[in-house]
Amino acid sequence: MKTYLPARPPFSLNSVVHSHGWIRLAPFQEDETNGGFHYVDELSSGSVVLLYIHEADQGVWVETEVELTPVEENEICHKVTWMLGLDQVFESFYELAASEPKLAKVAKKAQGRILRSATFFEDTIKTILTTNTSWSGTIRMVNALVTLYGASFPGDSLRHAFPTPATLANSDVETLRTAARLGYRAPYVLELAQTAAAGSLDLESFKTSDLPTAELRKQILAIKGVGGYAAANLLMLLGRYDFVPVDSWALKVVSHEWHGGQPVGSADVEQAFESWGEWKGLAYWLWDWTFIETA
DNA sequence: GGTAGACCTGGACGC
DNA sequence: GCGTCCAGGTCTACC
Protein backbone atom coordinates (compact mmCIF):
# COMPACT_ATOMS: atom_id res chain seq x y z
CA MET A 1 0.00 0.00 0.00
CA LYS A 2 1.17 3.50 -0.84
CA THR A 3 -1.25 6.40 -0.42
CA TYR A 4 -0.99 10.16 -0.63
CA LEU A 5 -2.92 12.15 1.97
CA PRO A 6 -3.31 15.91 1.38
CA ALA A 7 -3.11 18.48 4.18
CA ARG A 8 -4.73 21.88 4.59
CA PRO A 9 -1.94 24.37 3.78
CA PRO A 10 0.38 25.42 5.19
CA PHE A 11 1.75 22.05 6.27
CA SER A 12 5.10 20.79 7.48
CA LEU A 13 5.50 17.18 8.57
CA ASN A 14 8.71 18.14 10.33
CA SER A 15 6.83 20.73 12.43
CA VAL A 16 4.23 18.14 13.46
CA VAL A 17 6.84 15.51 14.29
CA HIS A 18 8.74 17.93 16.52
CA SER A 19 5.68 19.63 18.01
CA HIS A 20 6.31 17.83 21.33
CA GLY A 21 7.98 14.74 22.73
CA TRP A 22 5.48 12.14 21.47
CA ILE A 23 7.82 11.14 18.61
CA ARG A 24 10.18 9.67 21.21
CA LEU A 25 7.51 7.44 22.69
CA ALA A 26 6.84 3.94 21.33
CA PRO A 27 5.38 2.87 18.99
CA PHE A 28 6.55 6.04 17.21
CA GLN A 29 10.01 5.93 15.70
CA GLU A 30 11.46 8.98 14.01
CA ASP A 31 13.04 8.39 10.59
CA GLU A 32 16.10 10.57 10.99
CA THR A 33 17.48 9.55 7.59
CA ASN A 34 14.51 10.32 5.36
CA GLY A 35 12.42 12.55 7.63
CA GLY A 36 8.98 11.58 8.89
CA PHE A 37 8.44 8.59 11.12
CA HIS A 38 7.40 4.97 11.47
CA TYR A 39 4.51 3.79 13.63
CA VAL A 40 3.28 0.31 14.52
CA ASP A 41 -0.50 0.06 14.64
CA GLU A 42 -2.94 -2.71 15.43
CA LEU A 43 -5.93 -2.40 13.11
CA SER A 44 -9.53 -3.28 13.94
CA SER A 45 -9.09 -6.42 11.81
CA GLY A 46 -6.35 -7.59 14.16
CA SER A 47 -3.60 -7.02 11.60
CA VAL A 48 -0.49 -5.33 12.98
CA VAL A 49 1.10 -3.02 10.44
CA LEU A 50 4.20 -0.86 10.27
CA LEU A 51 3.38 2.51 8.76
CA TYR A 52 6.03 4.56 6.97
CA ILE A 53 5.02 8.21 6.89
CA HIS A 54 7.01 10.73 4.88
CA GLU A 55 6.58 14.28 3.64
CA ALA A 56 4.97 14.89 0.26
CA ASP A 57 3.98 18.11 -1.52
CA GLN A 58 1.43 19.65 0.91
CA GLY A 59 0.70 16.28 2.45
CA VAL A 60 2.22 12.94 3.32
CA TRP A 61 2.92 9.55 1.82
CA VAL A 62 1.72 6.60 3.88
CA GLU A 63 3.25 3.22 3.03
CA THR A 64 3.12 -0.33 4.32
CA GLU A 65 5.12 -3.30 3.12
CA VAL A 66 2.08 -5.53 2.83
CA GLU A 67 -1.12 -5.45 0.82
CA LEU A 68 -4.19 -4.49 2.82
CA THR A 69 -7.91 -4.76 2.35
CA PRO A 70 -9.80 -1.60 1.32
CA VAL A 71 -11.31 -1.48 4.83
CA GLU A 72 -7.87 -1.61 6.42
CA GLU A 73 -6.53 1.07 4.06
CA ASN A 74 -9.46 3.30 4.89
CA GLU A 75 -8.82 2.85 8.63
CA ILE A 76 -5.16 3.79 8.18
CA CYS A 77 -6.05 6.91 6.17
CA HIS A 78 -8.47 8.07 8.86
CA LYS A 79 -5.96 7.40 11.64
CA VAL A 80 -3.05 9.18 9.93
CA THR A 81 -5.27 12.14 9.09
CA TRP A 82 -6.13 12.38 12.79
CA MET A 83 -2.56 11.81 14.03
CA LEU A 84 -1.16 14.62 11.88
CA GLY A 85 -4.18 16.92 12.04
CA LEU A 86 -4.15 17.11 8.25
CA ASP A 87 -7.56 18.79 8.13
CA GLN A 88 -6.84 21.32 10.88
CA VAL A 89 -6.97 25.05 10.07
CA PHE A 90 -4.95 27.71 11.89
CA GLU A 91 -5.55 30.81 9.78
CA SER A 92 -7.16 32.89 12.55
CA PHE A 93 -4.36 31.95 14.94
CA TYR A 94 -1.74 32.96 12.39
CA GLU A 95 -3.48 36.32 11.91
CA LEU A 96 -3.25 37.02 15.65
CA ALA A 97 0.29 35.64 15.92
CA ALA A 98 1.56 37.91 13.13
CA SER A 99 1.52 40.89 15.49
CA GLU A 100 3.32 39.07 18.33
CA PRO A 101 7.13 38.93 17.93
CA LYS A 102 7.36 35.81 20.12
CA LEU A 103 5.09 33.99 17.66
CA ALA A 104 6.19 35.68 14.47
CA LYS A 105 7.54 32.51 12.85
CA VAL A 106 4.69 30.10 13.51
CA ALA A 107 2.92 30.61 10.16
CA LYS A 108 6.14 30.42 8.16
CA LYS A 109 7.03 27.16 9.93
CA ALA A 110 3.45 25.87 9.59
CA GLN A 111 3.34 25.23 13.34
CA GLY A 112 0.14 24.49 15.25
CA ARG A 113 -0.53 20.81 14.63
CA ILE A 114 0.46 18.66 17.60
CA LEU A 115 1.41 15.05 16.94
CA ARG A 116 -1.30 12.65 18.17
CA SER A 117 -1.37 8.92 18.71
CA ALA A 118 -3.73 6.78 16.67
CA THR A 119 -6.24 6.59 19.52
CA PHE A 120 -7.22 9.01 22.27
CA PHE A 121 -6.88 6.07 24.66
CA GLU A 122 -3.17 5.90 23.82
CA ASP A 123 -2.76 9.66 24.23
CA THR A 124 -4.54 9.59 27.59
CA ILE A 125 -2.38 6.78 28.96
CA LYS A 126 0.78 8.50 27.72
CA THR A 127 -0.29 11.81 29.26
CA ILE A 128 -0.89 10.14 32.64
CA LEU A 129 2.60 8.67 32.34
CA THR A 130 4.09 12.16 31.88
CA THR A 131 2.85 13.32 35.27
CA ASN A 132 5.02 13.52 38.36
CA THR A 133 8.01 11.94 36.69
CA SER A 134 10.98 12.80 34.52
CA TRP A 135 10.82 12.52 30.72
CA SER A 136 13.15 9.50 30.89
CA GLY A 137 10.66 7.91 33.25
CA THR A 138 7.83 8.50 30.79
CA ILE A 139 9.83 6.90 27.97
CA ARG A 140 10.64 3.90 30.18
CA MET A 141 7.03 3.35 31.29
CA VAL A 142 5.58 3.68 27.78
CA ASN A 143 8.24 1.34 26.40
CA ALA A 144 7.40 -1.18 29.10
CA LEU A 145 3.66 -1.09 28.31
CA VAL A 146 4.26 -1.45 24.58
CA THR A 147 6.77 -4.27 24.98
CA LEU A 148 4.83 -6.21 27.60
CA TYR A 149 1.28 -5.77 26.26
CA GLY A 150 1.45 -4.54 22.65
CA ALA A 151 0.75 -6.88 19.74
CA SER A 152 3.92 -7.85 17.86
CA PHE A 153 4.51 -6.71 14.29
CA PRO A 154 4.91 -9.93 12.24
CA GLY A 155 7.80 -8.51 10.23
CA ASP A 156 9.87 -7.70 13.31
CA SER A 157 9.01 -9.25 16.65
CA LEU A 158 10.90 -6.48 18.45
CA ARG A 159 8.33 -3.95 17.28
CA HIS A 160 4.95 -3.72 19.00
CA ALA A 161 1.79 -1.68 18.67
CA PHE A 162 0.41 0.24 21.63
CA PRO A 163 -1.72 -2.13 23.71
CA THR A 164 -5.48 -2.04 23.27
CA PRO A 165 -7.78 -1.24 26.21
CA ALA A 166 -8.86 -4.90 26.29
CA THR A 167 -5.30 -6.18 26.56
CA LEU A 168 -4.38 -3.78 29.34
CA ALA A 169 -7.67 -4.44 31.10
CA ASN A 170 -6.66 -8.09 31.45
CA SER A 171 -3.58 -7.14 33.41
CA ASP A 172 -3.57 -6.37 37.13
CA VAL A 173 -2.28 -3.60 39.36
CA GLU A 174 0.59 -5.60 40.78
CA THR A 175 1.98 -6.54 37.35
CA LEU A 176 1.61 -2.99 36.07
CA ARG A 177 3.27 -1.72 39.22
CA THR A 178 6.22 -4.10 39.24
CA ALA A 179 6.79 -5.42 35.68
CA ALA A 180 5.87 -2.20 33.84
CA ARG A 181 7.08 -0.14 36.81
CA LEU A 182 4.26 2.35 36.64
CA GLY A 183 4.39 2.84 40.40
CA TYR A 184 1.35 4.53 41.95
CA ARG A 185 0.00 5.19 38.43
CA ALA A 186 -0.74 1.48 37.93
CA PRO A 187 -4.30 1.58 39.30
CA TYR A 188 -5.10 4.67 37.21
CA VAL A 189 -3.96 2.97 33.99
CA LEU A 190 -5.79 -0.23 34.81
CA GLU A 191 -9.04 1.56 35.67
CA LEU A 192 -8.90 3.58 32.45
CA ALA A 193 -8.25 0.45 30.38
CA GLN A 194 -11.09 -1.42 32.06
CA THR A 195 -13.65 1.36 31.63
CA ALA A 196 -12.59 1.87 28.00
CA ALA A 197 -12.68 -1.86 27.27
CA ALA A 198 -16.08 -2.24 28.89
CA GLY A 199 -17.45 0.61 26.82
CA SER A 200 -18.53 2.64 29.84
CA LEU A 201 -16.09 5.34 28.75
CA ASP A 202 -15.91 6.06 25.02
CA LEU A 203 -12.65 7.98 24.80
CA GLU A 204 -12.59 7.96 21.00
CA SER A 205 -15.86 9.89 20.88
CA PHE A 206 -14.03 12.82 22.48
CA LYS A 207 -12.29 13.37 19.12
CA THR A 208 -15.53 14.46 17.50
CA SER A 209 -17.39 15.76 20.54
CA ASP A 210 -19.36 18.97 20.05
CA LEU A 211 -19.49 19.65 23.78
CA PRO A 212 -18.22 23.05 24.96
CA THR A 213 -14.58 22.80 25.98
CA ALA A 214 -15.37 23.45 29.65
CA GLU A 215 -17.80 20.50 29.71
CA LEU A 216 -15.38 18.25 27.85
CA ARG A 217 -12.70 19.22 30.37
CA LYS A 218 -14.97 18.08 33.21
CA GLN A 219 -15.33 14.67 31.60
CA ILE A 220 -11.56 14.39 31.11
CA LEU A 221 -10.91 15.48 34.71
CA ALA A 222 -13.18 12.65 35.87
CA ILE A 223 -10.52 10.18 34.69
CA LYS A 224 -8.42 9.05 37.67
CA GLY A 225 -4.85 10.25 37.32
CA VAL A 226 -5.82 13.22 35.16
CA GLY A 227 -5.59 16.61 36.85
CA GLY A 228 -5.46 20.15 35.55
CA TYR A 229 -2.19 19.86 33.67
CA ALA A 230 -3.04 16.53 32.03
CA ALA A 231 -6.55 17.70 31.09
CA ALA A 232 -5.21 20.82 29.37
CA ASN A 233 -2.65 18.71 27.54
CA LEU A 234 -5.32 16.28 26.36
CA LEU A 235 -7.59 19.13 25.27
CA MET A 236 -4.73 20.48 23.15
CA LEU A 237 -4.43 17.07 21.52
CA LEU A 238 -8.16 17.27 20.78
CA GLY A 239 -7.63 20.64 19.09
CA ARG A 240 -9.03 22.67 21.99
CA TYR A 241 -6.62 25.33 23.17
CA ASP A 242 -8.71 27.17 25.79
CA PHE A 243 -6.51 26.05 28.70
CA VAL A 244 -2.77 26.18 29.35
CA PRO A 245 -1.12 22.93 30.49
CA VAL A 246 0.47 24.40 33.60
CA ASP A 247 3.37 22.33 34.87
CA SER A 248 6.55 23.29 36.71
CA TRP A 249 8.12 24.41 33.42
CA ALA A 250 5.22 26.76 32.68
CA LEU A 251 5.49 28.30 36.13
CA LYS A 252 9.19 28.84 35.59
CA VAL A 253 9.07 30.45 32.15
CA VAL A 254 6.08 32.67 32.91
CA SER A 255 7.77 33.77 36.11
CA HIS A 256 10.88 34.82 34.17
CA GLU A 257 8.99 36.31 31.22
CA TRP A 258 6.57 38.56 33.12
CA HIS A 259 7.23 38.48 36.89
CA GLY A 260 10.94 39.12 37.24
CA GLY A 261 11.61 35.57 38.41
CA GLN A 262 9.21 35.82 41.36
CA PRO A 263 7.11 32.70 42.14
CA VAL A 264 3.80 32.51 40.24
CA GLY A 265 0.75 30.24 40.38
CA SER A 266 -1.44 28.52 37.80
CA ALA A 267 -3.78 31.53 37.66
CA ASP A 268 -0.85 33.77 36.70
CA VAL A 269 0.04 31.48 33.78
CA GLU A 270 -3.56 31.43 32.55
CA GLN A 271 -3.75 35.20 32.96
CA ALA A 272 -0.56 35.72 30.94
CA PHE A 273 -2.26 34.18 27.89
CA GLU A 274 -5.83 35.29 28.58
CA SER A 275 -5.91 37.62 25.59
CA TRP A 276 -5.37 34.68 23.21
CA GLY A 277 -8.84 33.34 23.92
CA GLU A 278 -9.51 30.04 22.16
CA TRP A 279 -5.82 29.94 21.13
CA LYS A 280 -4.48 30.38 24.67
CA GLY A 281 -2.86 26.97 25.02
CA LEU A 282 -1.34 27.04 21.57
CA ALA A 283 0.11 30.52 22.10
CA TYR A 284 1.79 29.24 25.26
CA TRP A 285 2.98 26.08 23.53
CA LEU A 286 4.57 27.85 20.55
CA TRP A 287 5.82 30.91 22.45
CA ASP A 288 9.51 31.60 21.86
CA TRP A 289 11.04 30.88 25.26
CA THR A 290 14.57 30.69 23.82
CA PHE A 291 15.94 33.54 25.90
CA ILE A 292 14.74 31.91 29.13
CA GLU A 293 15.94 28.44 28.11
CA THR A 294 19.46 29.69 27.56
CA ALA A 295 19.52 32.10 30.50
C1' DG B 1 -12.46 26.06 48.41
C1' DG B 2 -7.79 25.65 50.06
C1' DT B 3 -3.94 22.94 51.91
C1' DA B 4 -0.84 19.17 53.60
C1' DG B 5 0.85 14.76 52.99
C1' DA B 6 1.40 10.57 50.37
C1' DC B 7 2.39 8.33 46.09
C1' DC B 8 7.04 6.30 43.07
C1' DT B 9 11.18 6.80 40.60
C1' DG B 10 15.49 8.62 38.92
C1' DG B 11 19.03 11.79 39.35
C1' DA B 12 22.07 14.75 41.99
C1' DC B 13 24.81 15.08 45.79
C1' DG B 14 27.72 14.10 49.85
C1' DC B 15 30.20 10.78 52.32
C1' DG C 1 28.81 1.97 46.55
C1' DC C 2 25.46 3.67 49.72
C1' DG C 3 22.21 6.80 51.87
C1' DT C 4 19.69 11.11 51.60
C1' DC C 5 17.25 14.66 49.40
C1' DC C 6 14.52 16.62 45.81
C1' DA C 7 11.59 17.22 41.65
C1' DG C 8 7.74 15.89 39.02
C1' DG C 9 1.37 16.24 39.10
C1' DT C 10 -2.58 14.14 41.28
C1' DC C 11 -5.39 12.19 44.88
C1' DT C 12 -7.36 12.06 49.41
C1' DA C 13 -8.27 13.62 53.88
C1' DC C 14 -8.87 17.34 56.59
C1' DC C 15 -9.94 22.09 57.97
Side-chain angles (χ1 to χ4, degrees):
Chain A
M1 166 198 169
K2 182 172 182 178
T3 304
Y4 168 75
L5 295 177
R8 296 280 191 95
F11 175 76
S12 161
L13 180 59
N14 187 59
S15 288
V16 188
V17 166
H18 297 110
S19 54
H20 62 149
W22 255 214
I23 192 65
R24 294 176 61 195
L25 299 178
F28 284 103
Q29 183 184 22
E30 186 172 7
D31 185 342
E32 294 179 0
T33 305
N34 303 306
F37 63 94
H38 308 159
Y39 181 83
V40 182
D41 189 37
E42 182 174 0
L43 303 176
S44 303
S45 62
S47 297
V48 180
V49 295
L50 175 58
L51 306 178
Y52 296 88
I53 298 167
H54 297 120
E55 184 121 32
D57 181 26
Q58 288 305 315
V60 293
W61 286 111
V62 184
E63 292 184 67
T64 66
E65 292 174 334
V66 295
E67 290 302 312
L68 302 169
T69 68
V71 173
E72 289 174 329
E73 286 194 17
N74 189 49
E75 179 177 345
I76 288 172
C77 290
H78 275 94
K79 281 182 172 176
V80 173
T81 297
W82 168 257
M83 290 165 74
L84 300 177
L86 298 180
D87 52 2
Q88 284 188 282
V89 177
F90 296 96
E91 283 175 11
S92 60
F93 174 62
Y94 291 156
E95 286 174 13
L96 291 172
S99 57
E100 170 50 63
K102 292 295 183 94
L103 293 170
K105 297 177 181 174
V106 293
K108 187 178 179 183
K109 293 183 176 179
Q111 291 177 303
R113 296 176 172 90
I114 298 175
L115 184 63
R116 299 155 163 162
S117 304
T119 66
F120 193 57
F121 171 73
E122 181 178 331
D123 276 338
T124 306
I125 296 286
K126 284 177 172 175
T127 298
I128 289 174
L129 298 184
T130 65
T131 60
N132 203 25
T133 188
S134 61
W135 180 242
S136 63
T138 301
I139 293 174
R140 174 184 56 74
M141 288 185 275
V142 172
N143 263 329
L145 282 186
V146 168
T147 304
L148 290 170
Y149 299 101
S152 296
F153 170 58
D156 181 353
S157 60
L158 294 178
R159 293 176 183 264
H160 299 78
F162 195 84
T164 63
T167 309
L168 274 183
N170 284 327
S171 184
D172 59 84
V173 168
E174 197 51 35
T175 306
L176 289 170
R177 194 187 294 272
T178 56
R181 295 171 67 197
L182 303 190
Y184 71 92
R185 302 170 196 81
Y188 302 152
V189 168
L190 183 62
E191 181 177 325
L192 180 59
Q194 289 175 335
T195 52
S200 49
L201 177 63
D202 184 5
L203 283 170
E204 304 315 311
S205 72
F206 288 11
K207 292 177 178 176
T208 53
S209 171
D210 54 5
L211 286 174
T213 302
E215 183 57 38
L216 193 56
R217 180 173 180 268
K218 282 184 186 174
Q219 295 193 12
I220 292 173
L221 282 171
I223 299 169
K224 283 280 184 64
V226 174
Y229 157 77
N233 194 59
L234 288 168
L235 285 170
M236 294 251 291
L237 288 169
L238 290 171
R240 314 259 194 145
Y241 311 104
D242 311 53
F243 295 88
V244 178
V246 181
D247 57 5
S248 54
W249 167 256
L251 295 173
K252 176 185 170 185
V253 293
V254 168
S255 163
H256 281 83
E257 185 84 338
W258 290 291
H259 297 271
Q262 294 301 307
V264 300
S266 300
D268 297 307
V269 177
E270 294 282 348
Q271 179 60 39
F273 290 93
E274 196 61 42
S275 63
W276 291 87
E278 62 174 334
W279 298 109
K280 193 194 292 182
L282 200 57
Y284 158 76
W285 197 252
L286 299 176
W287 200 259
D288 181 6
W289 304 108
T290 309
F291 171 75
I292 293 169
E293 288 176 39
T294 55

